[in-house]
Amino acid sequence: MRENDLPRIFQYIGGIIREMNAIPMEIGGMKDHVHIFTSLPKTVALTDFVRDIKANSSRWIKQIDHYYAPFAWQDGYGAFSVSPSLSEKTVNYIRNQKEHHRKRSFREEYKLFLDAYGIDYDEKYAFSD
């Protein structure tokens, strides 16, 4: 994604989330990944929630500009629960993505996170496009 398009893409994703009766608390990221900190409606399965966000945003992103004609989200995603006591820290983390990724790539950071929390993963699937 082009950096100058990111704010309106994040805003559009927030609208999708609100339409599903969820509360988007922070949405941000970089050209190669998006972080969404949101509530999850009790009546919607996580897989359906993510599928709907990806499908609707992908359709809309392709309409922004011909540049995005081949755009598609990767198949996978990561989802994690956040303790209410860590809400502010999570919002700050999402807002400061540029700073985080000056030090290490998204891939490196994600692997450190998975390793720190003892989450088993296969790189072949965790980082496929």
Side-chain angles (χ1 to χ4, degrees):
M1 287 185 256
R2 294 184 297 212
E3 193 166 338
N4 62 326
D5 291 325
L6 292 177
R8 66 181 177 153
I9 291 170
F10 299 155
Q11 190 173 38
Y12 190 82
I13 290 170
I16 294 168
I17 291 168
R18 283 187 289 281
E19 284 291 318
M20 290 191 282
N21 296 315
I23 302 166
M25 289 165 275
E26 190 67 32
I27 301 169
M30 302 290 287
K31 294 188 300 184
D32 63 347
H33 68 281
V34 174
H35 294 275
I36 299 172
F37 181 34
T38 183
S39 63
L40 179 66
K42 293 177 183 176
T43 58
V44 179
L46 177 61
T47 54
D48 295 336
F49 189 68
V50 173
R51 179 201 62 217
D52 290 352
I53 292 169
K54 285 181 170 187
N56 289 311
S57 63
S58 179
R59 197 172 310 121
W60 181 80
I61 289 168
K62 289 178 182 190
Q63 295 173 10
I64 293 174
D65 188 293
H66 185 66
Y67 171 85
Y68 291 111
F71 177 82
W73 295 110
Q74 74 175 55
D75 290 335
Y77 62 90
F80 308 92
S81 60
V82 176
S83 166
S85 65
L86 295 175
S87 291
E88 187 176 332
K89 185 175 182 179
T90 303
V91 167
N92 288 332
Y93 169 77
I94 294 171
R95 286 182 181 165
N96 294 305
Q97 284 295 292
K98 279 187 183 182
E99 184 61 34
H100 293 294
H101 295 302
R102 283 189 183 117
K103 298 173 187 170
R104 61 176 57 101
S105 71
F106 169 72
R107 184 183 194 121
E108 292 168 326
E109 188 171 59
Y110 194 61
K111 285 171 61 175
L112 286 170
F113 179 83
L114 294 173
D115 291 342
Y117 288 94
I119 299 170
D120 289 330
Y121 63 95
D122 184 332
E123 282 195 45
K124 178 174 142 186
Y125 300 108
F127 301 104
S128 67
D129 289 336

